[in-house]
Amino acid sequence: MSEKLIPNLLVEDNKFCPGCGHGIINRVVAEVLEEMDLADKAVGSLAVGCACLMMDTFGTDWIQAPHGRAAAVAVGVKRVRPECCVFTYQGDGDSLAIGFSETMYAALRNENITAIIVNNGIFGMTGGQMAPTTLPGQRTTTSPQGRNADTTGQPVNIINQIKEVPVGYLARGSVDTAKEINKLKKYIRTAIETQMSGGGYSLVEILSPCPTNWKMTLEASLDHIKTKVKETYPLGEYVKNGERVDA
Amino acid sequence: MSRRLMKGNDALAEAAVRAGCRFFGGYPITPQSEILEYLSARLPEVGGTFLQAESELAGINMVYGAAAAGFRAMTSSSGPGFSLLQEGISYIASAELPAVIVDVQRYGSGLGDIFQAQSDYHMATTGGGHGDYHMLVYAPASAQESVDLMCLAFNKAEEYRNPCLILTDASIAQMMEPVELPEMKEVNPDKPWAVRGKSGQDFKKITSTMYYIDDFDTYIKEKYDAMAEKEQRWEALHIADADVVLVAYGISSRICKEAVATAREQGIRLGLLRPITVWPFPVDGFKEVNPDVKAYLTVELSSLPKLDIDVKLACKMKSPVENFLGGAVIPESQQIIEKAVSVLEKVEATSCLKN
């Protein structure tokens, strides 16, 4: 019988809904930290929303920031303890709505931290409200007729916002297929390598399903990412070693 | 010790460095900006970090991060910026982390103006942010006391693992006075609770301690009760035989001192009770007041009475409490004496009617 290999950093079973992408992303981040021998140096900063369920299940040091402020808290840690591997783990609502300023300014200062932003296009924990990343036409509890971009604005593409800024590493991955999960792992590894070599700000945005609030089966959710979400949020690396690689 | 002529804001900043502060994150606002300016040059000299944040929200959360990592950290602001700090302060208190915050009070609500004032009293003494917490709130009345209380605030912040506030105002912060500075102190940031990376079952979680403490309500009440009992500080002047006791802190108290001295020469028995901590309010000081005191007179730079409630509670409503409200204008000592005399006359007239 084959052994079930679970990273030591995952100290308890996760608490996410069935079909949620966070569980996969947690595992990928844990694997990267362990493979890079950084598990004992890692300090995570998260705030509220589904991401904060990791506090009990993901065995690094954590700080729980106020809603939106995880990047500022991470900066405070990294500036006084540059030897630590400091990362934020946030949803799109947290990092790109209330926390847009903190996210942008961490990038603008090229802070030597790694931002992991999980984009499922929705406020999950609060019950499925419209997020900055919600697609036009997408129904949520606060856009019951479908998001009208004329009145609510276009979806926030954080990579487009940051890619003109001098930062270390920018990539967008997805968890919709095994192939994409493997690519995602490389992106997260490169982001952490960028930080630990002093290469500046690194950000990995991850497209992730929320079957519960999308009111879809897992299969339909993954299909939705493949056919719809990726159109608005194309995958790939955008900045590497401080240089644009998407042109 | 070294003696220097320093502006109040600069004295606060230098005292923070000497108290072992090695991180500052903050945002400019008049009349506290000299603290940022001073530390932007000074902190790098001692291997510390100065960061001009994009907002007060970011500044206080950078302090949250640096404090969680075990380092002595502070921010400073004024009035409108102090409002914005409240969210982060509530989190820092809830996570039971040490940090020092400075509020150089300015006049008015909303934008208000940059004049000196003492209008943030309630926001400072009642917690200010959401939920159940307090800060130790120190109110210096001189540049020297700004130095002394800054050093004390960092020590007490660590002792109680709680944010502490220096509540000053534009006049104390902007005036220049000679100060004695303490020796430089180095503080080890490797606290047992500080995050610095440790995997497995020993990982540390900095979040609201309510998640980890059984019977949290009792625990947190006992913590703040202990602070309220042990940390009261005040200065008393002629209160044992006073007919009218002035209650004032910060810049107002300095004018009141002159008023007391002048009034005594005129045979008017004024006294002064000066809170040095405004939270906890020095209720024990009121036990030393003349039991036959005719009235209390609060003196503060605000448009509405702020000290009033605390003084009424401290004297258990046994004496009338009147207010001298200066708005943004620092009163002349003679005005305070005149007000005290009119309060005395009013009290005596009332007692005649009763008789």
Side-chain angles (χ1 to χ4, degrees):
Chain A
M1 236 176 77
S2 65
E3 194 186 350
K4 200 174 173 186
L5 294 172
I6 297 173
N8 292 327
L9 273 172
L10 300 179
V11 292
E12 282 181 35
D13 292 344
N14 74 53
K15 302 168 180 179
F16 302 112
C17 300
C20 170
H22 272 295
I24 298 168
I25 301 165
N26 279 198
R27 174 159 185 153
V28 169
V29 175
E31 285 178 1
V32 169
L33 289 175
E34 288 188 357
E35 286 165 17
M36 293 181 69
D37 204 20
L38 289 170
D40 287 348
K41 283 188 178 178
V43 178
S45 171
L46 47 64
V48 299
C50 301
C52 76
L53 296 173
M54 288 169 77
M55 289 277 289
D56 296 328
T57 63
F58 194 102
T60 53
D61 280 5
W62 282 112
I63 307 172
Q64 185 164 29
H67 191 23
R69 320 287 176 229
V73 169
V75 165
V77 177
K78 185 69 181 184
R79 289 281 189 134
V80 294
R81 293 198 182 269
E83 71 280 9
C84 287
C85 173
V86 182
F87 65 101
T88 63
Y89 189 103
Q90 297 175 274
D92 45 83
D94 187 43
S95 60
L96 304 181
I98 190 168
F100 186 81
S101 171
E102 285 78 3
T103 299
M104 270 314 286
Y105 272 90
L108 285 164
R109 284 192 303 265
N110 206 10
E111 296 282 357
N112 212 26
I113 61 170
T114 299
I116 296 168
I117 294 178
V118 180
N119 175 357
N120 60 14
I122 207 138
F123 281 87
M125 186 177 268
T126 42
Q129 295 81 19
M130 185 180 75
T133 46
T134 298
L135 300 181
Q138 185 179 339
R139 288 173 190 266
T140 72
T141 59
T142 52
S143 57
Q145 306 302 317
R147 180 174 189 174
N148 180 350
D150 291 339
T151 55
T152 65
Q154 291 294 327
V156 171
N157 182 324
I158 191 62
I159 297 223
N160 283 355
Q161 298 289 328
I162 294 179
K163 67 185 181 184
E164 304 291 343
V165 174
V167 295
Y169 182 74
L170 278 184
R172 184 183 288 121
S174 173
V175 294
D176 62 310
T177 65
K179 190 179 164 192
E180 291 300 345
I181 292 168
N182 284 333
K183 278 197 209 167
L184 171 67
K185 188 171 171 182
K186 283 180 195 155
Y187 296 161
I188 290 176
R189 188 181 180 99
T190 311
I192 301 284
E193 282 170 354
T194 301
Q195 177 190 165
M196 296 318 287
S197 65
Y201 184 80
S202 51
L203 182 153
V204 181
E205 181 186 353
I206 304 153
L207 305 184
S208 177
C210 179
T212 301
N213 287 302
W214 291 359
K215 305 197 188 311
M216 291 178 186
T217 62
L218 176 57
E219 289 75 14
S221 296
L222 297 178
D223 193 52
H224 179 69
I225 291 178
K226 285 189 195 84
T227 56
K228 292 274 189 209
V229 185
K230 284 181 188 173
E231 282 179 17
T232 304
Y233 302 109
L235 305 184
E237 292 177 305
Y238 289 78
V239 173
K240 202 170 178 180
N241 297 321
E243 303 285 336
R244 285 284 292 276
V245 291
D246 62 319
Chain B
M1 294 285 243
S2 64
R3 192 169 165 85
R4 285 195 214 167
L5 184 65
M6 292 187 91
K7 207 177 201 188
N9 272 337
D10 293 346
L12 272 172
E14 178 61 29
V17 171
R18 288 177 185 238
C21 177
R22 291 296 176 269
F23 184 90
F24 180 96
Y27 190 80
I29 182 171
T30 306
Q32 64 83 50
S33 297
E34 292 89 353
I35 297 178
L36 269 83
E37 291 169 349
Y38 189 95
L39 290 175
S40 69
R42 186 74 175 103
L43 271 174
E45 287 178 359
V46 295
T49 303
F50 168 87
L51 248 179
Q52 185 164 331
E54 64 270 28
S55 68
E56 288 85 350
L57 297 171
I60 188 67
N61 282 291
M62 290 168 180
V63 168
Y64 182 16
F71 284 73
R72 288 197 166 186
M74 70 173 274
T75 190
S76 62
S77 194
S78 178
F82 186 51
S83 305
L84 294 176
L85 296 179
Q86 300 300 337
E87 172 194 84
I89 295 172
S90 175
Y91 272 76
I92 292 170
S94 184
E96 294 195 78
L97 292 176
V100 171
I101 298 104
V102 177
D103 178 21
V104 184
Q105 297 178 85
R106 55 188 254 180
Y107 181 62
S109 48
L111 177 61
D113 215 321
I114 60 171
F115 310 125
Q116 67 278 322
Q118 297 178 305
S119 308
D120 297 347
Y121 182 85
H122 287 158
M123 189 160 57
T125 57
T126 58
H130 61 281
D132 298 320
Y133 75 95
H134 282 288
M135 284 185 280
L136 289 173
V137 185
Y138 296 103
S142 65
Q144 182 63 55
E145 207 174 32
S146 298
V147 170
D148 299 342
L149 292 177
M150 175 61 85
C151 297
L152 182 71
F154 268 109
N155 290 342
K156 290 293 175 184
E158 266 178 19
E159 182 182 333
Y160 287 99
R161 285 182 59 184
N162 202 75
C164 289
L165 178 69
I166 306 284
L167 186 71
T168 183
D169 70 86
S171 45
I172 302 281
Q174 296 290 331
M175 75 167 77
M176 292 188 82
E177 292 184 290
V179 291
E180 295 272 2
L181 294 167
E183 296 299 319
M184 188 73 87
K185 184 173 174 181
E186 294 292 335
V187 180
N188 180 5
D190 293 337
K191 311 284 189 274
W193 43 262
V195 291
R196 54 186 189 280
K198 178 74 184 116
S199 70
Q201 298 301 327
D202 298 330
F203 61 93
K204 295 175 284 295
K205 292 178 274 191
I206 302 282
T207 183
S208 299
T209 46
M210 61 177 284
Y211 294 120
Y212 307 113
I213 293 173
D214 293 334
D215 196 8
F216 175 79
D217 295 338
T218 306
Y219 165 80
I220 207 69
K221 185 165 186 313
E222 284 175 356
K223 170 174 169 168
Y224 289 115
D225 281 352
M227 288 160 78
E229 188 189 327
K230 294 177 193 164
E231 300 303 331
Q232 296 177 34
R233 285 167 191 265
W234 69 91
E235 181 187 2
L237 203 63
H238 299 304
I239 58 172
D241 70 340
D243 286 329
V244 176
V245 169
L246 308 176
V247 184
Y249 68 97
I251 185 65
S252 303
S253 69
R254 286 178 72 158
I255 317 302
C256 287
K257 269 190 185 175
E258 188 179 83
V260 169
T262 310
R264 289 265 162 184
E265 285 168 14
Q266 297 166 4
I268 305 162
R269 288 190 297 187
L270 291 193
L272 170 66
L273 209 155
R274 175 173 80 92
I276 297 172
T277 53
V278 288
W279 198 91
F281 196 72
V283 289
D284 289 347
F286 286 75
K287 294 171 187 165
E288 298 164 12
V289 171
N290 175 11
D292 297 322
V293 67
K294 303 282 195 308
Y296 289 90
L297 176 61
T298 72
V299 180
E300 52 188 333
L301 303 187
S302 56
S303 306
L304 300 172
K306 303 282 163 64
L307 278 166
D308 190 79
I309 294 171
D310 281 339
V311 175
K312 282 175 177 163
L313 290 173
C315 75
K316 299 178 178 167
M317 303 283 282
K318 287 176 182 166
S319 309
V321 179
E322 299 278 340
N323 315 115
F324 185 106
L325 302 173
V329 182
I330 299 173
E332 299 287 334
S333 55
Q334 192 54 39
Q335 291 174 278
I336 296 169
I337 296 171
E338 284 164 16
K339 175 76 178 181
V341 168
S342 77
V343 166
L344 260 181
E345 287 169 356
K346 185 172 144 191
V347 171
E348 278 160 9
T350 313
S351 65
C352 285
L353 285 175
K354 277 182 188 163
N355 292 340

